[in-house]
Amino acid sequence: MYVVLVIAVLAIILLAKTAKVVPQQAAYVVESLGRYSRTLSAGFHILVPFVERIAYKHNLKEEAIDIPEQVCITKDNVQVGVDGVLYLQVLDAAKASYGITNYRFAIIQLAQTTLRSEIGKIDLDRTFEARGTINANVVSELDHASASWGVKVLRYEIKNITPPKDVLHAMEKQMRAEREKRAVVLTSEGERDAKINQAEGEKQRVIKESEAKRQQQINEAQGQAEAILAVATATAEGLRRVGDALSGRGGIEAMQLRVAEEYVKQFGKLADEASSTLIVPATLSDLSSMIAMATSVVKQQSAKG
């Protein structure tokens, strides 16, 4: 009974050492008598008992490694604390096992030294705006170095850049001064634009008023011209009709009668009742001749009637 129990335990132990199930996105490195034999991918595998063993287990998923904060010196000799996060992935399990003792530790150290070198190339003011360039340079250096380790460096991101407190105070003062400067500039630009708009509005008003006056003068001139033209037309029409009447039968006699009547009428107004002055013609023969002519015309008209 004890023998059966011992055999069962040995069988279980043997099965545990020989039968291996590799999960998805994992790789197991197998050694045979201390030497590299093969790499097991995802699935069920049988090992040779007491000869083969699982030496290394690697996760093939993308990993995020935190890079501790370190002090870096910028080009203008300012100390800043910089930390970041690194993303990598194991592509070759055998190289990751035998290419280096601890690839994670090596990549962290290499990332820190590369970051210090990149920060030392630029001034403090540019460290904040040049994050993308710094990240790309770190990834390029790390990927080149880790190629022989079977590891692919995918991304590197700077999390925080922490300058000293006195530098932070100076930067805050500078930013405050820049904001005040921008506020003054914007205020002056606003006042300038307002004055420009006001002047432009005044200019347009003057232009509109001058155009209105010009149009008014044009309209008045056109009205006066039309009135003069109407008077001239009416006068011409009257003269034409008088001419037609004079050229007709009895026209000359009618004109003479009208002139004689008007002469007599106006001569009667020469004596002003309010004045003691009386104006008479120089020769009374002119008056008698006009009266005689008017009387003759009247008689001729009566005879014709």
Side-chain angles (χ1 to χ4, degrees):
M1 189 67 180
Y2 291 103
V3 174
V4 173
L5 184 59
V6 171
I7 293 174
V9 171
L10 291 176
I12 293 174
I13 294 174
L14 182 62
L15 181 62
K17 286 185 173 293
T18 57
K20 297 294 180 180
V21 178
V22 181
Q24 185 67 31
Q25 287 297 97
Y28 291 177
V29 176
V30 178
E31 290 183 351
S32 177
L33 299 177
R35 298 180 62 182
Y36 172 75
S37 174
R38 65 186 187 277
T39 301
L40 302 180
S41 59
F44 180 78
H45 302 274
I46 300 295
L47 304 180
V48 178
F50 307 105
V51 176
E52 296 180 336
R53 71 181 185 90
I54 302 297
Y56 300 97
K57 295 180 180 180
H58 294 283
N59 188 352
L60 302 182
K61 297 178 183 178
E62 183 177 342
E63 300 180 53
I65 300 177
D66 184 66
I67 307 299
E69 184 178 359
Q70 60 175 333
V71 177
C72 302
I73 301 176
T74 62
K75 187 177 180 180
D76 50 352
N77 296 323
V78 178
Q79 293 183 353
V80 292
V82 185
D83 61 349
V85 58
L86 182 69
Y87 298 87
L88 55 84
Q89 185 177 16
V90 176
L91 300 180
D92 192 328
K95 289 183 179 181
S97 301
Y98 302 103
I100 192 170
T101 302
N102 188 340
Y103 68 86
R104 291 186 180 87
F105 176 78
I107 288 178
I108 290 174
Q109 299 302 313
L110 184 59
Q112 289 181 327
T113 56
T114 305
L115 182 61
R116 285 197 296 268
S117 176
E118 293 296 327
I119 293 294
K121 297 178 182 178
I122 58 178
D123 297 330
L124 176 63
D125 295 337
R126 294 192 62 248
T127 55
F128 299 95
E129 63 185 26
R131 287 192 178 191
T133 303
I134 296 174
N135 295 336
N137 293 338
V138 172
V139 170
S140 177
E141 292 294 332
L142 295 181
D143 189 53
H144 179 72
S146 63
S148 59
W149 305 339
V151 179
K152 175 69 175 177
V153 177
L154 302 175
R155 296 185 302 279
Y156 178 79
E157 296 292 339
I158 295 176
K159 291 195 296 184
N160 298 303
I161 299 177
T162 308
K165 291 184 179 180
D166 56 345
V167 176
L168 283 176
H169 292 324
M171 294 174 64
E172 289 177 358
K173 291 181 180 179
Q174 182 181 1
M175 288 187 293
R176 190 180 301 112
E178 289 292 335
R179 285 195 294 268
E180 292 176 355
K181 176 183 176 182
R182 287 197 297 269
V184 172
V185 171
L186 291 176
T187 302
S188 62
E189 289 180 352
E191 293 177 354
R192 182 195 63 187
D193 293 341
K195 291 180 180 179
I196 291 174
N197 293 334
Q198 184 177 0
E200 186 67 25
E202 185 67 18
K203 174 184 174 182
Q204 294 296 327
R205 185 186 65 81
V206 172
I207 292 174
K208 294 297 184 182
E209 288 182 355
S210 63
E211 291 179 352
K213 291 181 179 178
R214 185 187 67 177
Q215 188 63 39
Q216 181 181 2
Q217 293 175 355
I218 292 174
N219 293 336
E220 291 178 354
Q222 290 179 351
Q224 293 177 359
E226 292 176 357
I228 293 172
L229 180 61
V231 171
T233 303
T235 303
E237 180 65 21
L239 293 176
R240 184 184 64 79
R241 292 187 178 183
V242 170
D244 293 342
L246 291 176
S247 62
R249 183 178 177 182
I252 298 298
E253 292 80 358
M255 181 188 70
Q256 292 175 350
L257 175 61
R258 179 63 178 170
V259 171
E261 291 177 352
E262 189 66 24
Y263 185 88
V264 173
K265 181 180 179 181
Q266 295 299 326
F267 182 77
K269 293 180 179 180
L270 292 177
D272 190 358
E273 296 178 357
S275 177
S276 59
T277 303
L278 179 62
I279 301 173
V280 295
T283 57
L284 295 176
S285 59
D286 295 336
L287 178 59
S288 59
S289 62
M290 290 296 298
I291 294 174
M293 181 182 65
T295 304
S296 174
V297 170
V298 170
K299 289 180 178 182
Q300 291 178 3
Q301 294 293 333
S302 299
K304 292 178 180 180

